[in-house]
Amino acid sequence: MSIFQIRQKNNGAILWTGSAPNEKAALDAMAREAGYRDYAALPDTLRGLGVQADKLDLIS
């Protein structure tokens, strides 16, 4: 598992940070936490703003 951070592209707001096996799973987890079935179920107005999923490489 990796840690992902999902941000809105237009303003950089952090929407979600958490662990997921890949970017798609991270987007789905973000959507579920917001009350949707998965990322595809988000309204077009939200998905249309654009999101960026960054894999965080944390070194301890």
Side-chain angles (χ1 to χ4, degrees), residues 4 6 16 19-42 47 51 53:
F4 287 89
I6 300 175
W16 183 84
S19 95
N22 55 49
E23 182 178 328
K24 181 186 180 322
L27 291 169
D28 287 342
M30 181 251 335
R32 280 192 303 278
E33 198 165 300
Y36 295 91
R37 180 185 70 244
D38 57 19
Y39 182 72
L42 286 173
R47 282 187 289 120
V51 295

Side-chain angles (χ1 to χ4, degrees), residues 1 7 15:
M1 290 265 197
R7 298 176 176 264
L15 303 175

